[in-house]
Amino acid sequence: MKKKEWLFEIMSEDQESCNLFRVGLISFLLLITGSLVGGDSLGTDKQVLLSLKTFLEGQNRVNRGSKYTLWNSTDESPCKWPGISCDGVGNRVTGVNLSGDNLAGKIFDNFSALTGLTYLDLSKNTLENAVPADLGTCRSLRFLNLSHNIIDGELNLTGLYSLEILDLSMNRLGGEIWPVFPGICNNLVVMNISNNGFSGEIGNAFARCSNLEYLDLSTNNLSGGLPFGIDKLRGFSVGQNNISGELPSWIFRQNCSLQALDLSENKFSGELPKEISYCKDLSMLNLWGNSFSGLIPEEIGFIQGLETLYLGNNKFSSSIPDTLSGLKNLLYLDLSKNGFGGEIQEIFGRFTQVKFLLLNGNAYTGGIISSGIPNLANLSRLDLSENSFSGPLPAEISQMTNLKFLILAFNHFTGTIPSEYGSFPVIQALDLSFNSLSGSIPQSLGRLASLLWLTLASNSLTGEIPGELGNCSSLLWLNLENNRLSGSIPAELANIGSNPMPTFLLNRDEDKIIPSSSGECQIMKRWIPADYPPFSFVYPLLTGKKCRSLWDKLLKGYGLFQFCGAGINVRTFQISGYVQLCNNKLSGLVPPEIGKMQSFSMLHIGYNNFHGKFPSEIGKMPLVVLNVTQNKFSGQIPPQIGNMKCLLNLDLSHNNFSGQFPTSLNNLTDLNKFNISYNPYIYGVIPPIGQLATFEKSSFLGDPLLNLPSFIDNSTENQPDKHENPKKTTNLGTFLVFAALVLAFIVCGVIFFVVCLVVKETSEKSPADYLLEDTKIRHDSSSPDGSSSPWFPSAVKVIRLDKKFFTHSDIVNATGNFSADRIVGRGGFGTVYRGVLPDGREVAVKKLQREGIEGEREFMAEMEVLSGNGFGWPHPNLVTLYGWCLDGSEKLLVYEFMGGGSLEDMITDRVKFSWKKRIKAAIDVAKALVFLHHECHPCIVHRDVKASNVLLDRSQSD
């Protein structure tokens, strides 16, 4: 019995072992088969990734990334490839991170083959088109980030049941929000779909998202009201949408979990419910840019954790509850643009804990000192701009030792800038622009070692730019335009911005420099000039979040755009500043030290009185914008400007540059704005190929010695018809002659009536173009007095159309020094005198009276009308125009004397064609006058130029 039992036991064990072997074998076979069929192995994951690499390289043949290009097919495992992560034992690929890796084109459509994939980050690239349907079948995916791309179309991710974190922000996705998200949000914790084009009402789209904690729907096209249950979230943002109506009190319940609530820039109205105080954990409340009205609830003062409170751009009452001053954690208070007037409320002097105080855009008239604001020792930023403050600037503000930003722009402050403003120990931005300040710029401002931004624009400041500003080694953004500053640019100014890094490093140590509200984009636009090409495209795109990001990068010294150094095509991201000194009375020479300013990409010194040679050292600056228009620079244009490979905007117009035009400017392949007009002594050939040949004739007006390619032309369909027969006759000749005589007496009234009718049909072609089209250019180097100096004091520039020379003094003598007894008529904005030139010609001299730009336009209009160019006249000339002359503000036209001086007399005497032609001529004259008064550039000639350097001879005989 024992033996049988033993055998039975052995047999039982063998049977069990056999069964276990069979089960193991079957399991192994199933595993192998499953791996072969489903691709559930590291080897197949590797092949999928190599397919992804081939796909990306095919779409990015030039600018390839730094991650996927290093994936090597000879490696046994992809787990150590850049951007790839695997599970703990290295058996499966679980993560793909190609964020910011220069990806472009479509999204790879086989990510589902990575069956173990739980993490996918393709953000910060240039991926486009719609999200492929394949991505919606990645059922294991828990993290998906496609933000900061240009993906468009509607969204379908209904198969992503395991998704916990979804970021689709900063794309171009659209469609109704309701059908997209309910099916995938069971496990969602974080969802960010901001900055897209989703539309429709929110409704109950997120009602099933029981685990959702953070939801960002900002900057879309959503409408309707707020959904029930947002108080269950920790963070909710719906800013910059079209949500409207009153904010219902039932949205906030006793167990509110909200820590951050952003309802900014919507259409909410009515009073703010006091029940918002149920959100005891609230640290950020942003209601900026709505129509909330009534009293600010005192219950907000019970939310002790509140750190940032944006109530700006609403209609709240000016009565500020005392409870707010008890918010010990409150750092940021924005009550801008609420219509508060009179004196600043005294309660603001009790916000000793606040670091950022924004009261801009109200109607305050005083109270800066009486409110106690200068006693706020912790205040880092004070913005009182766009109010109605008047009187002198308060010197007491200089006692605020922690102040980094002081913005007092757009007020009515008068008097001088207090020297005490040079005592701020840590100030980084000082904006006193758009006031009525006078006096000189204090030398004490040179002590502001941390100053990054100084703008004193649009005041009435006088005196010289203090050389002490050169001690501001952090100063990168300097704006002194639209003042009355005089003197030269001090050589020391070239030292500004030489070492801003200590200030940048200080800011980098702080997590958040400027927690920005949406309204601060206005300050950002003042910081960044609108005509600065790298930034100009940003303006229509600026939102609260983008402004916050730009602020942070600028103040920490991170470059926003790529620039290149002199003679270098390689572009790198670097911080770059500007110097704006235009519209002053500055004079003298530009110092050659300007070449040391290697951290500046914009220099605007136009509309001043600078003279002499422009320094060649300018070519060492990494400029993107160079504007020196309306000065008196002379000599050759520095060919070194052609070394500025990143230059986009170059304006050298209205100067006295001379010599051969530097063809090196044709190397500026990025140039998109170029103006060399009204430098009449520049000669040479504009190459028919290259960048300069892409500009129209308007870039070269008033440069008669330049030889332009024949295809550079601004002609329009409004040119005169050269094939029209001027001698067309009719069978009603006698009647038409009588009608012509009658019309001569009523032409003034007709012109006035026609102007009203044709003002909407103004020609696109500048009359100055017509003037230059039919001229034959030649160069005469002799002056009337035989002097070879271009600066001879009595030389007056005379531009002529005839072949017989005369000077300004000849005109004066011919008219008896414009004697009253020589007056023969008045009309066309000036007085007409009769005279006789030295060669015996009897002439009419029209002396235009009006000065300024408008006077110059009228001068051009008269000149065009008299010469008959471009206005549909059937004869080449209405009257023989001998020439014109500018002597300072004096504008003279010299033409054939016809017995009358007015335009109407000339029409009567000279126009001898059909009445239809006569009306057409009157219409064209009216159109020319309207056009010139709004569009034409004046033909400006300076007195200090050699008299006879340029003569314009008409190609057809008179």
Side-chain angles (χ1 to χ4, degrees):
M1 290 292 296
K2 290 182 179 180
K3 186 175 181 180
K4 290 182 179 180
E5 291 176 359
W6 178 77
L7 288 174
F8 180 79
E9 184 176 356
I10 294 297
M11 291 175 62
S12 300
E13 290 178 357
D14 289 343
Q15 184 68 30
E16 184 176 356
S17 298
C18 184
N19 291 337
L20 289 172
F21 175 76
R22 290 194 187 104
V23 171
L25 180 61
I26 293 172
S27 299
F28 176 76
L29 291 175
L30 288 175
L31 181 63
I32 295 297
T33 305
S35 298
L36 292 175
V37 175
D40 292 339
S41 71
L42 189 61
T44 54
D45 286 350
K46 175 184 173 182
Q47 294 305 315
V48 174
L49 292 177
L50 291 175
S51 298
L52 172 60
K53 176 184 177 181
T54 302
F55 175 82
L56 295 176
E57 289 178 339
Q59 294 193 125
N60 302 270
R61 299 183 182 276
V62 179
N63 296 319
R64 292 181 173 175
S66 59
K67 296 179 182 178
Y68 66 87
T69 53
L70 300 178
W71 296 353
N72 193 342
S73 59
T74 61
D75 294 338
E76 292 184 3
S77 171
C79 293
K80 294 184 179 180
W81 287 353
I84 302 302
S85 56
C86 297
D87 57 19
V89 293
N91 291 330
R92 298 302 310 281
V93 171
T94 58
V96 176
N97 184 352
L98 297 177
S99 175
D101 205 34
N102 288 329
L103 309 185
K106 299 179 180 179
I107 300 176
F108 184 58
D109 61 354
N110 195 27
F111 279 113
S112 62
L114 299 172
T115 56
L117 191 66
T118 61
Y119 183 101
L120 178 60
D121 189 347
L122 304 177
S123 62
K124 299 178 182 178
N125 288 293
T126 319
L127 298 173
E128 58 185 349
N129 293 343
V131 176
D134 171 80
L135 195 59
T137 62
C138 298
R139 302 187 184 280
S140 299
L141 204 60
R142 296 199 298 268
F143 180 99
L144 176 61
N145 190 348
L146 303 178
S147 65
H148 293 83
N149 283 287
I150 54 174
I151 303 168
D152 55 19
E154 297 188 3
L155 199 61
N156 184 8
L157 300 175
T158 53
L160 303 183
Y161 304 122
S162 303
L163 207 58
E164 297 176 3
I165 297 176
L166 175 64
D167 191 348
L168 303 174
S169 60
M170 295 294 296
N171 278 288
R172 301 174 180 177
L173 297 165
E176 293 280 334
I177 194 172
W178 168 250
V180 176
F181 297 103
I184 65 170
C185 73
N186 289 333
N187 295 303
L188 270 178
V189 178
V190 177
M191 178 187 290
N192 186 351
I193 60 171
S194 63
N195 285 275
N196 279 286
F198 291 110
S199 58
E201 296 188 6
I202 302 174
N204 295 320
F206 302 98
R208 301 179 187 174
C209 306
S210 57
N211 295 312
L212 195 61
E213 295 183 6
Y214 300 95
L215 178 61
D216 192 343
L217 308 177
S218 61
T219 318
N220 280 286
N221 297 316
L222 303 176
S223 58
L226 288 180
F228 179 79
I230 65 170
D231 59 339
K232 294 181 179 179
L233 302 171
R234 293 189 180 185
F236 177 65
S237 175
V238 72
Q240 286 194 292
N241 279 282
N242 295 310
I243 311 298
S244 59
E246 295 188 1
L247 196 60
S249 59
W250 48 260
I251 283 184
F252 308 106
R253 296 173 297 182
Q254 290 284 354
N255 57 348
C256 176
S257 301
L258 280 170
Q259 297 174 354
L261 177 62
D262 181 3
L263 306 180
S264 62
E265 294 191 77
N266 279 284
K267 298 178 180 179
F268 291 108
S269 58
E271 296 187 357
L272 182 63
K274 62 181 181 180
E275 286 78 6
I276 197 171
S277 62
Y278 291 159
C279 303
K280 301 293 185 182
D281 297 327
L282 204 61
S283 63
M284 190 276 287
L285 176 60
N286 190 350
L287 305 179
W288 195 95
N290 284 283
S291 296
F292 287 112
S293 58
L295 293 171
I296 299 172
E298 63 177 12
E299 287 79 4
I300 291 181
F302 304 149
I303 308 175
Q304 289 300 312
L306 201 60
E307 296 179 359
T308 56
L309 181 58
Y310 304 90
L311 302 178
N313 201 6
N314 281 285
K315 300 176 182 179
F316 286 114
S317 169
S318 60
S319 178
I320 312 298
D322 290 337
T323 55
L324 296 189
S325 62
L327 295 173
K328 300 303 181 184
N329 293 307
L330 189 64
L331 302 177
Y332 195 102
L333 178 60
D334 182 355
L335 281 167
S336 62
K337 296 188 177 182
N338 272 285
F340 300 158
E343 300 281 306
I344 295 179
Q345 299 94 319
E346 292 184 3
I347 188 176
F348 290 114
R350 303 203 297 270
F351 285 99
T352 55
Q353 75 281 22
V354 170
K355 289 187 176 181
F356 303 90
L357 179 59
L358 276 66
L359 299 176
N360 55 292
N362 284 292
Y364 289 122
T365 57
I368 296 177
I369 306 302
S370 60
S371 65
I373 286 179
N375 299 323
L376 300 178
N378 291 320
L379 206 60
S380 175
R381 176 171 182 184
L382 176 61
D383 189 350
L384 299 176
S385 62
E386 299 180 77
N387 279 284
S388 297
F389 295 112
S390 59
L393 289 170
E396 291 84 348
I397 291 182
S398 62
Q399 301 170 8
M400 307 173 73
T401 56
N402 286 315
L403 202 60
K404 292 183 178 180
F405 287 79
L406 176 59
I407 303 175
L408 302 176
F410 289 95
N411 279 287
H412 307 295
F413 288 114
T414 56
T416 61
I417 300 174
S419 60
E420 290 87 346
Y421 280 21
S423 301
F424 293 107
V426 294
I427 198 162
Q428 298 183 14
L430 178 61
D431 185 357
L432 306 178
S433 60
F434 294 92
N435 281 287
S436 299
L437 301 174
S438 58
S440 60
I441 299 174
Q443 298 177 358
S444 62
L445 296 186
R447 299 199 299 262
L448 303 178
S450 300
L451 192 64
L452 292 171
W453 181 39
L454 174 64
T455 174
L456 308 176
S458 297
N459 281 287
S460 299
L461 298 174
T462 56
E464 298 185 358
I465 299 174
E468 286 78 3
L469 284 182
N471 297 328
C472 299
S473 58
S474 290
L475 184 56
L476 281 175
W477 296 282
L478 175 63
N479 189 349
L480 305 179
E481 67 181 12
N482 295 324
N483 279 286
R484 300 175 185 173
L485 299 172
S486 58
S488 59
I489 298 177
E492 297 86 350
L493 196 67
N495 295 322
I496 64 173
S498 58
N499 187 25
M501 191 52 64
T503 304
F504 291 145
L505 292 176
L506 182 66
N507 291 337
R508 291 177 188 181
D509 289 337
E510 301 182 21
D511 292 335
K512 189 178 292 185
I513 303 300
I514 300 292
S516 173
S517 68
S518 303
E520 295 201 310
C521 287
Q522 295 173 325
I523 301 173
M524 176 61 65
K525 290 181 179 181
R526 289 210 300 272
W527 188 302
I528 301 176
D531 55 354
Y532 191 12
F535 294 93
S536 56
F537 78 94
V538 174
Y539 273 54
L541 304 176
L542 288 177
T543 63
K545 291 183 179 179
K546 293 175 183 175
C547 285
R548 185 182 306 124
S549 176
L550 287 174
W551 272 112
D552 195 64
K553 289 181 178 180
L554 281 173
L555 296 174
K556 292 180 179 178
Y558 298 119
L560 300 178
F561 298 94
Q562 291 183 332
F563 300 96
C564 55
I568 303 175
N569 281 321
V570 179
R571 290 160 168 78
T572 57
F573 283 96
Q574 54 187 303
I575 199 69
S576 180
Y578 57 72
V579 176
Q580 297 190 89
L581 305 177
C582 57
N583 285 309
N584 278 285
K585 297 181 179 181
L586 298 170
S587 59
L589 303 175
V590 174
E593 288 83 358
I594 197 171
K596 297 191 305 181
M597 304 180 73
Q598 296 296 302
S599 299
F600 295 83
S601 57
M602 178 180 182
L603 177 65
H604 194 340
I605 58 174
Y607 303 95
N608 280 288
N609 295 310
F610 293 113
H611 66 264
K613 291 186 177 181
F614 197 62
S616 60
E617 288 80 1
I618 192 69
K620 299 178 182 179
M621 296 183 68
L623 292 180
V624 174
V625 176
L626 174 59
N627 193 329
V628 301
T629 186
Q630 298 280 2
N631 280 285
K632 298 178 181 178
F633 289 114
S634 59
Q636 188 179 18
I637 296 172
Q640 291 82 358
I641 293 177
N643 295 330
M644 302 176 184
K645 301 300 183 180
C646 286
L647 196 64
L648 295 176
N649 188 332
L650 176 61
D651 192 341
L652 306 174
S653 63
H654 294 281
N655 279 285
N656 294 325
F657 286 115
S658 60
Q660 188 167 9
F661 180 82
T663 55
S664 62
L665 299 189
N666 212 31
N667 299 329
L668 302 175
T669 55
D670 284 1
L671 203 63
N672 56 41
K673 288 185 179 180
F674 175 66
N675 195 349
I676 194 67
S677 296
Y678 302 107
N679 285 281
Y681 302 111
I682 298 174
Y683 63 88
V685 178
I686 300 299
I689 58 175
Q691 194 70 14
L692 297 180
T694 64
F695 296 98
E696 297 180 342
K697 186 179 290 184
S698 58
S699 295
F700 306 96
L701 291 176
D703 302 333
L705 300 181
L706 279 180
N707 189 356
L708 306 182
S710 58
F711 53 81
I712 294 183
D713 188 64
N714 284 342
S715 59
T716 70
E717 62 184 6
N718 293 324
Q719 292 187 66
D721 187 356
K722 296 180 181 179
H723 302 289
E724 189 175 24
N725 182 5
K727 297 182 179 180
K728 185 188 249 184
T729 60
T730 74
N731 295 328
L732 302 176
T734 304
F735 171 77
L736 294 180
V737 170
F738 176 77
L741 293 174
V742 173
L743 182 62
F745 294 98
I746 63 172
V747 68
C748 289
V750 171
I751 290 176
F752 177 79
F753 177 74
V754 170
V755 167
C756 297
L757 293 178
V758 303
V759 68
K760 296 182 181 179
E761 303 178 40
T762 53
S763 170
E764 294 181 0
K765 182 167 182 177
S766 170
D769 297 350
Y770 293 107
L771 179 65
L772 296 175
E773 276 179 351
D774 299 326
T775 59
K776 180 181 179 182
I777 302 172
R778 67 183 178 90
H779 182 268
D780 189 344
S781 60
S782 63
S783 62
D785 58 355
S787 172
S788 61
S789 173
W791 310 114
F792 193 77
S794 63
V796 177
K797 175 72 187 267
V798 178
I799 298 180
R800 302 172 46 257
L801 298 179
D802 71 302
K803 296 182 174 63
K804 298 177 181 179
F805 186 79
F806 60 89
T807 66
H808 178 264
S809 59
D810 293 334
I811 299 173
V812 173
N813 293 331
T815 59
N817 197 18
F818 302 105
S819 174
D821 58 0
R822 300 289 183 96
I823 296 176
V824 295
R826 298 182 185 272
F829 313 107
T831 304
V832 182
Y833 300 83
R834 181 177 181 176
V836 181
L837 292 176
D839 59 4
R841 280 176 293 173
E842 192 172 19
V843 295
V845 179
K846 173 165 281 191
K847 185 176 183 181
L848 278 78
Q849 297 170 341
R850 188 174 299 186
E851 298 183 1
I853 296 298
E854 195 66 21
E856 291 163 357
R857 289 174 174 168
E858 292 163 359
F859 174 76
M860 287 291 292
E862 289 283 332
M863 182 171 57
E864 295 284 11
V865 171
L866 291 174
S867 64
N869 284 315
F871 304 132
W873 302 106
H875 297 294
N877 298 86
L878 175 62
V879 67
T880 301
L881 177 62
Y882 293 135
W884 63 95
C885 177
L886 276 79
D887 179 15
S889 61
E890 190 171 82
K891 306 170 184 66
L892 306 174
L893 292 173
V894 183
Y895 53 88
E896 180 183 2
F897 182 73
M898 295 301 301
S902 69
L903 179 61
E904 301 80 52
D905 293 332
M906 286 183 286
I907 291 177
T908 301
D909 290 345
R910 298 288 287 188
V911 181
K912 298 176 181 178
F913 43 90
S914 74
W915 66 276
K916 290 184 179 179
K917 294 293 183 182
R918 189 182 300 274
I919 287 183
K920 183 179 185 299
I923 291 175
D924 289 335
V925 171
K927 292 169 75 171
L929 291 175
V930 173
F931 177 81
L932 283 163
H933 277 258
H934 293 281
E935 297 293 335
C936 182
H937 294 285
C939 181
I940 296 178
V941 182
H942 297 289
R943 181 180 176 86
D944 55 356
V945 183
K946 187 183 294 184
S948 58
N949 267 6
V950 179
L951 301 177
L952 299 178
D953 295 329
R954 294 194 59 81
S955 57
Q956 73 269 26
S957 62
D958 291 329

